[in-house]
Amino acid sequence: METRQMLKQELESITDWEHSQKDLWFWEKLGRLPFQVLDKLTPKVVHRKLGQLLDELGSYIQSGGKYLVNKEKLLNKLGVSSLAQVPHLPLEKMDRVCDELIEARVTFAQLQGAATGVGGALTLAVDIPTLLGLALKTLQEIAIVYGYDPKEKEERVFVVKCLQFAAADIVGKKAILDELSSFSNERGRVFSELQGWREVMMTFRDQYGWKKLFQAVPIIGVIFGSLFNKSFMEDIAETGKMLYRKRRIIEKLKQLEPDV
């Protein structure tokens, strides 16, 4: 039986995690070189692919596109028959299924990065949409695990905000957390205008920066591709888990004490 104290402690741990998102690691700083420098160094095929992904991401927000996931499979893992039953599950069970999911997705991303690192720039163009697609699917799966339906337009925007948060700097992270906080309290109004998704692709492209250029070197790219994809997917999955978990905890607390 989940008590108020237990839920509040879990919420405090997520707040601590949010406060810890203060700075970028060396790799992230290295990846944020001026755009004009990256423009000259990034292969043209990568530019073209990122341009296509801008359109795909817009399509995803509008309709879900090809990034929809198998909800029934996840519900089976949770031991329920409908999404409406998920919010009533213990948080511990949600966390366990989520962690298993994340482990599988991170491993897949790592293998994907190693495989596409073999061929340099040519296979790099394949890795980019695959990694973004995997990130979107993983975030949607995490949403389902915590009882939210990614088929809803507002939830798809929340997924993109999670993606944006993982790639943002400290100023961007704070702004996104403020938006997501308002989202919990005033659902419809905050995301009535679907703005900022192009920024996701720009930060996504910025994140590729030097790190993915290393992957463009045949053979050596195997190491960098594997490490980058693993790190990228871990960041995305951790962000999704923390932010969706926070929403679920807040809603559970509201059921226990309306004034929360």
Side-chain angles (χ1 to χ4, degrees), residues 183-209:
F183 176 83
S184 297
N185 298 323
E186 304 175 45
R187 265 185 93 131
R189 187 180 67 83
V190 177
F191 290 128
S192 58
E193 295 184 8
L194 300 178
Q195 297 178 348
W197 61 267
R198 286 183 176 272
E199 296 175 18
V200 175
M201 282 310 305
M202 291 301 100
T203 51
F204 185 77
R205 176 242 186 188
D206 193 10
Q207 280 279 356
Y208 263 81

Side-chain angles (χ1 to χ4, degrees), residues 119-254:
L122 292 177
T123 48
L124 176 57
V126 176
D127 183 52
I128 293 173
T130 301
L131 186 59
L132 178 63
L134 182 62
L136 286 172
K137 287 182 178 180
T138 300
L139 288 171
Q140 289 182 93
E141 289 170 329
I142 291 173
I144 292 172
V145 167
Y146 285 100
Y148 300 97
D149 190 354
K151 287 185 179 181
E152 295 181 2
K153 194 171 186 178
E154 289 178 342
E155 290 304 334
R156 293 199 297 272
V157 177
F158 191 91
V159 163
V160 173
K161 284 295 177 182
C162 289
L163 186 66
Q164 188 179 11
F165 179 88
D169 58 19
I170 180 174
V171 177
K173 287 182 187 295
K174 184 179 184 304
I176 294 168
L177 285 176
D178 289 342
E179 286 183 1
L180 297 183
S181 176
S182 298
F183 176 83
S184 297
N185 298 323
E186 304 175 45
R187 265 185 93 131
R189 187 180 67 83
V190 177
F191 290 128
S192 58
E193 295 184 8
L194 300 178
Q195 297 178 348
W197 61 267
R198 286 183 176 272
E199 296 175 18
V200 175
M201 282 310 305
M202 291 301 100
T203 51
F204 185 77
R205 176 242 186 188
D206 193 10
Q207 280 279 356
Y208 263 81
W210 280 100
K211 293 172 286 187
K212 279 299 184 182
L213 288 176
F214 280 121
Q215 187 178 335
V217 180
I219 308 304
I220 295 178
V222 173
I223 299 174
F224 285 99
S226 175
L227 291 176
F228 172 76
N229 280 21
K230 180 177 183 292
S231 174
F232 179 83
M233 189 53 61
E234 284 176 340
D235 289 345
I236 291 293
E238 180 184 42
T239 297
K241 178 183 177 182
M242 289 295 183
L243 297 181
Y244 268 109
R245 192 170 186 262
K246 179 180 181 180
R247 285 177 63 188
R248 178 51 60 206
I249 291 173
I250 289 175
E251 291 187 21
K252 280 179 174 287
L253 278 169
K254 283 181 177 179

Side-chain angles (χ1 to χ4, degrees), residues 99-111:
D99 289 339
E100 292 173 357
L101 171 69
I102 290 173
E103 183 179 359
R105 295 297 177 265
V106 169
T107 300
F108 181 85
Q110 188 174 7
L111 294 174

Side-chain angles (χ1 to χ4, degrees), residues 70-82 93 97:
N70 189 334
K71 181 171 67 176
E72 287 68 29
K73 186 176 180 180
L74 289 169
L75 293 179
N76 286 336
K77 288 186 177 181
L78 289 165
V80 296
S81 58
S82 71
K93 187 164 190 176
V97 173

